[in-house]
């Protein structure tokens, strides 16, 4: 494992990332763990396994698990109209081009939005970061981003009919609102009682406690010269809605607990939070013949063009990306994965019964050097560590 340690140290020394935490685990045991570099460039505090980071879209699988708990309990129907719980979800219109004056042409969708659509990103919602039309629409209407936690950010038209195609978007923010509607609790409160506390995830939440703030890593923005500036954006501590699509803070230590729960078919820290058959359902393609597509950037400061393993067919579960064929790194077909905007990455390989994690705090998403570090790390894990 010395070669992997050397890989991480070299990345920090070369300025690829200011700091990084990487780990490999089975359902019960750690196979590898390393923390290198610092929490903020120029500082002294080292990266550690309890370092708190913005995990952005790695929030999504957690909220997906919460929604599936409520499906188990009969509180949400996976394939029923979501408008039964949130009537507003029955009022969204599909934007079908623009008229001669440049105004959106809107029509009723051909089918209702369901929780399955939301968890598989096939409801018709998009993100302004990766969709040209939505970027224009948000500029014209001066809309904040969904991560702001402002309700107005979710009032956007659908860009296609539910179930028509896959496109990454604000879907899990709405899934989080379904969790609230079905449970009668704020999303963070529900997650804390039903996932974080049972799994021992004590450093995960939408709001930073003073103790979490003391362990917080800063996000760094890559400049044109390849160097970093510290992103000094204010930390949101008040939300109109708690963003289920990307609002959580967590630590590598905590996120490994969530990954182990998935590996252990719904059980973690001595507690069962999901049924085995539910985890099996979450881990399968849930959108039929639709496939994941490349995300073309509309905001290079936040993301480059994004696609994992171009040329490898990818579907979506409830709610993970699934590679339908073996990946070039060695990742088995049928593995579950996703990532966060600040270059946090994970994958779960059910066939080989282990999972891997690499977390840093760098923008833009899929930054060339950060993504190459993750790719090299995963490849070496399969070469040197992964169970047969």
């Amino acid at each position: 494992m010395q070669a992997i340690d050397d890989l991480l140290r070299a990345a920090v020394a070369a300025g690829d990332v200011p700091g990084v935490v990487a780990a490999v685990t089975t359902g019960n045991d750690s196979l590898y763990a390393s923390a290198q570099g610092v929490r903020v460039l120029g500082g002294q505090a080292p990266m550690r396994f309890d370092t708190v980071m913005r995990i952005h879209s790695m929030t999504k699988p957690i909220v997906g698990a919460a929604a599936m708990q409520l499906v188990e309990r009969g509180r949400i129907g996976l394939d029923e109209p979501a408008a039964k719980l949130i009537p507003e979800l029955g009022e969204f219109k599909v934007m079908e081009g623009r008229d001669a004056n440049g105004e959106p042409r809107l029509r009723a969708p051909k089918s209702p939005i369901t929780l399955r659509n939301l968890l598989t990103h096939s409801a018709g919602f998009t993100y302004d970061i990766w969709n040209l039309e939505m970027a224009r629409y948000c500029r014209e209407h001066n809309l904040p981003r969904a991560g702001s936690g402002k309700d107005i950010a979710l009032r956007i038209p659908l860009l296609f009919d539910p179930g028509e195609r896959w496109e990454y978007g604000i879907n899990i923010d709405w899934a989080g609102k379904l969790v609230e509607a079905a449970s009668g609790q704020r999303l963070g409160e529900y997650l804390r009682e039903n996932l974080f506390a049972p799994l021992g995830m004590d450093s995960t939440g939408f709001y930073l406690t003073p103790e979490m703030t003391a362990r917080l890593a800063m996000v760094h923005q890559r400049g044109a010269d390849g160097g970093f500036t510290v992103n000094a954006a204010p930390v949101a501590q008040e939300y109109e809605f708690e963003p289920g699509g990307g609002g959580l803070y967590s630590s590598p230590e905590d996120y490994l607990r969530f990954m182990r729960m998935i590996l252990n078919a719904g059980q973690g820290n001595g507690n069962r939070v999901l049924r085995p058959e539910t985890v099996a359902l979450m881990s399968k393609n849930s959108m039929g013949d639709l496939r994941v597509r490349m995300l073309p950037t509309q905001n290079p400061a936040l993301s480059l063009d994004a696609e994992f393993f171009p040329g490898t067919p990818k579907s979506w579960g409830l709610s993970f990306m699934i590679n339908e064929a073996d990946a070039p790194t060695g990742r088995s077909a049928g593995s579950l994965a996703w990532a966060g905007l600040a270059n946090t990455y994970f994958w779960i390989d059910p066939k080989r019964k282990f999972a891997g994690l690499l977390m840093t705090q760098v923008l833009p998403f899929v930054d060339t050097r950060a993504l190459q570090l993750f790719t090299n790390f995963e490849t070496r894990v399969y070469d040197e560590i992964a169970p047969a």
Side-chain angles (χ1 to χ4, degrees):
M1 301 183 193
Q2 183 63 45
I4 300 180
D5 286 343
D6 292 344
L7 171 73
L8 301 176
R9 290 194 189 101
V12 171
D16 296 340
V17 293
V20 60
V21 178
V24 182
T25 187
T26 66
N28 301 302
D29 301 308
S30 175
L31 301 179
Y32 175 83
S34 180
Q36 304 293 335
V38 291
R39 298 202 303 250
V40 57
L41 195 64
Q44 297 297 317
M47 279 289 221
R48 302 189 315 189
F49 288 95
D50 65 352
T51 295
V52 174
M53 305 189 206
R54 296 165 177 84
I55 64 169
H56 293 286
S57 287
M58 278 170 50
T59 302
K60 289 178 168 72
I62 293 174
V63 174
M68 293 306 293
Q69 285 180 327
L70 291 164
V71 171
E72 285 184 349
R73 298 168 192 172
R75 305 289 293 276
I76 305 176
L78 186 58
D79 294 303
E80 293 180 352
K84 286 186 175 181
L85 284 170
I86 303 179
E88 185 179 0
L89 282 171
E91 299 171 2
F92 282 91
K93 298 291 193 291
V94 176
M95 180 176 170
E96 203 167 48
R98 293 173 179 264
D99 63 21
N101 297 318
E103 294 299 315
R105 291 200 306 266
L106 302 173
R107 62 165 174 82
K110 296 176 182 177
S111 58
I113 294 169
T114 66
L115 176 61
R116 185 187 299 274
N117 295 144
L118 295 172
L119 294 184
T120 57
H121 297 282
S122 61
F125 292 116
T126 58
Y127 273 131
D128 63 304
I129 299 178
W130 296 289
N131 184 285
L132 180 62
E133 185 57 68
M134 190 49 58
R136 176 183 172 184
Y137 184 91
C138 290
R139 284 196 304 271
E140 290 172 343
H141 292 80
N142 195 30
L143 294 180
R145 299 203 57 247
S148 67
K150 295 185 181 301
D151 283 311
I152 191 65
L154 303 185
R155 272 56 176 191
I156 59 175
L158 307 178
L159 291 190
F160 54 90
D161 286 296
E164 181 179 274
R165 69 173 188 257
W166 178 91
E167 186 161 348
Y168 199 49
I170 63 169
N171 303 278
I172 312 298
D173 290 302
W174 281 109
K177 283 181 169 280
L178 281 177
V179 169
E180 292 184 331
S183 68
Q185 296 176 280
R186 285 277 277 181
L187 181 58
E189 180 184 6
Y190 179 89
L191 294 176
R192 185 167 56 254
E193 291 183 8
N194 292 273
L195 285 170
F196 302 156
L199 296 177
M201 296 171 66
D202 298 328
S203 295
T204 303
F206 288 108
Y207 306 102
L208 291 168
T209 64
E211 198 271 339
M212 289 168 66
T213 301
R215 294 182 279 121
L216 180 67
M218 298 303 292
V219 175
H220 300 76
Q221 180 75 52
R222 179 87 69 190
D225 63 354
F228 289 115
T229 55
V230 177
N231 187 329
V235 173
Q237 290 290 76
E238 292 185 12
Y239 290 118
E240 292 177 13
F241 78 95
E242 293 170 343
L248 286 177
Y249 295 88
S250 190
S251 67
E253 191 173 59
D254 271 18
Y255 211 85
L256 283 168
R257 291 176 179 269
F258 176 75
M259 294 161 64
R260 290 188 188 113
M261 180 274 290
I262 297 294
L263 278 171
N264 287 326
Q267 187 161 324
N269 196 40
N271 295 302
R272 176 160 296 284
V273 298
L274 287 166
R275 299 171 187 162
E277 57 268 29
T278 300
V279 175
L281 178 61
M282 293 171 66
S283 304
K284 294 178 180 178
N285 172 18
S286 290
M287 61 180 195
D289 294 333
L290 303 181
R291 289 296 177 265
V292 173
R293 307 183 304 166
M294 188 267 285
L295 300 173
T297 184
Q298 309 303 318
N299 188 338
L302 290 181
S303 175
L304 306 183
D305 289 347
E307 183 180 13
F308 295 103
F309 311 129
T312 300
K314 297 168 290 289
S315 63
W316 211 267
L318 304 168
S319 51
F320 304 93
M321 185 186 77
I322 302 171
N323 52 297
E324 296 291 330
D326 290 347
T329 55
R331 188 186 301 182
S332 303
S335 293
L336 318 175
W338 200 228
L341 192 70
N343 288 283
T344 58
Y345 302 95
F346 78 93
W347 82 98
I348 300 169
D349 190 327
K351 182 179 178 181
R352 302 281 286 270
K353 295 182 171 57
F354 83 101
L357 173 78
L358 185 142
M359 297 175 68
T360 186
Q361 294 284 268
V362 170
L363 290 173
F365 181 52
V366 295
D367 168 75
T368 303
R369 292 159 74 176
L371 179 60
Q372 190 62 59
L373 173 60
F374 172 60
T375 302
N376 291 344
F377 168 69
E378 182 177 328
T379 301
R380 293 196 183 183
V381 166
Y382 278 95
D383 287 343
E384 301 180 24
I385 300 175

